[in-house]
């Protein structure tokens, strides 16, 4: 049974997709044992509580330095003994000690087809604003392992989504969530929970295919 800890900062729709997938059996062999947020007002914590999942809030704002936060944050994560850490809209930079300790055991959902519209400054609505500004016709989402960079780790799954004429950033964001994020993040967790994801030379192989 894969012990999954989910890190959140906002509304938690990706967390909800994971919770629903576990409860419906789309994700097998896994259990969400904790949710950690840097934002005490994150509705994601409400979603966790409604499903009996322990929620913890720990924010850099409550510490004198980032180094102190990083130490306490890693301690908090370690205490939950995760097999897999899922960043679901988590907006705090992961400490290098953590990416080192949990190599290929932290995954992130990014709302673009990496390597497009990713890296520092590309998060949330900004990603979709940039895609519309560039005039791309296809966008999508990516689930990838987290390494010491920003959106640079090995790619696990991607799913494309059509841009429609006249899309606003909000409309595009919702379509990418509905058609891509909320599908590939649970799928990636199920594949990992059932030992079907292998990483070699920075590239991912899915045993038995990703469908
Ligand atoms: C999503 O768009 C996700 O791709 C990005 O942050 C947003 C989180 O949304 N990483 P939610 O908190 O899961 O609703």
């Amino acid at each position: 049974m894969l012990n999954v800890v989910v890190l959140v900062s906002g509304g938690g729709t990706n967390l909800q997709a994971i919770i629903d997938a576990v409860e419906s059996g789309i994700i097998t062999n896994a259990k969400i044992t904790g949710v950690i947020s840097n934002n005490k007002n994150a509705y994601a914590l409400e979603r966790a509580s409604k499903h009996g999942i322990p929620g913890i809030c720990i924010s850099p704002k409550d510490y004198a330095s980032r180094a102190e936060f990083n130490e306490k944050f890693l301690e908090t994560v370690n205490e939950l003994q995760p097999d897999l850490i899922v960043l679901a809209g988590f907006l705090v930079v992961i400490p290098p000690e953590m990416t080192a300790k949990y190599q290929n055991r932290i995954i992130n959902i990014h709302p673009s087809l990496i390597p497009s519209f990713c890296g520092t400054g590309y998060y949330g609505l900004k990603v979709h604003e940039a895609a519309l500004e560039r005039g791309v016709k296809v966008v999508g989402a990516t689930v990838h392992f987290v390494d010491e960079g920003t959106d640079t780790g090995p790619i696990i799954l991607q799913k494309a989504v059509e841009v429609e004429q006249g899309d606003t950033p909000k409309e595009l964001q919702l379509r990418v969530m509905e058609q891509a994020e909320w599908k590939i993040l649970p799928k990636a967790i199920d594949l990992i929970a059932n030992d079907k994801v292998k990483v070699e030379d920075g590239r991912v192989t899915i045993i038995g295919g990703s469908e």
Side-chain angles (χ1 to χ4, degrees), residues 14-191:
N14 277 285
L15 169 66
Q16 190 67 55
I18 300 167
I19 291 170
D20 294 348
V22 169
E23 292 183 352
S24 66
I26 289 173
I27 294 177
T28 58
N29 208 16
K31 179 176 169 41
I32 306 170
T33 54
V35 171
I36 299 175
S37 177
N38 61 304
N39 168 9
K40 66 181 183 310
N41 299 317
Y43 187 65
L45 288 170
E46 184 74 27
R47 294 179 190 270
S49 163
K50 282 181 182 162
H51 289 266
I53 300 168
I56 302 167
C57 183
I58 176 168
S59 169
K61 293 179 190 150
D62 300 330
Y63 294 84
S65 70
R66 179 52 63 107
E68 270 184 62
F69 165 77
N70 284 351
E71 188 180 343
K72 183 66 182 156
F73 176 53
L74 185 51
E75 218 176 273
T76 305
V77 171
N78 291 342
E79 278 163 12
L80 292 169
Q81 297 182 309
D83 299 310
L84 179 69
I85 298 164
V86 180
L87 310 187
F90 190 61
L91 296 177
V92 173
V93 174
I94 300 298
E97 301 82 4
M98 188 165 151
T99 50
K101 178 179 175 63
Y102 291 99
Q103 192 186 22
N104 292 334
R105 289 199 290 153
I106 308 174
I107 65 173
N108 180 49
I109 176 81
H110 182 75
S112 79
L113 294 175
I114 289 174
S116 299
F117 310 114
C118 66
T120 306
Y122 285 105
Y123 58 89
L125 213 51
K126 293 175 189 287
V127 172
H128 306 290
E129 287 165 351
L132 290 170
E133 176 63 27
R134 181 64 184 81
V136 296
K137 305 307 174 191
V138 176
V139 291
T142 302
V143 182
H144 63 93
F145 284 112
V146 173
D147 62 11
E148 61 290 342
T150 304
D151 303 328
T152 52
I155 291 172
I156 304 168
L157 292 175
Q158 293 188 297
K159 187 165 176 50
V161 174
E162 296 279 327
V163 178
E164 291 177 11
Q165 296 269 69
D167 265 340
T168 64
K170 270 269 180 220
E171 287 165 343
L172 187 54
Q173 178 180 52
L174 184 57
R175 191 175 312 118
V176 170
M177 284 177 156
E178 286 173 339
Q179 294 184 10
E181 297 179 39
W182 300 342
K183 294 187 186 312
I184 62 174
L185 186 54
K187 177 75 184 166
I189 295 168
D190 181 60
L191 289 169

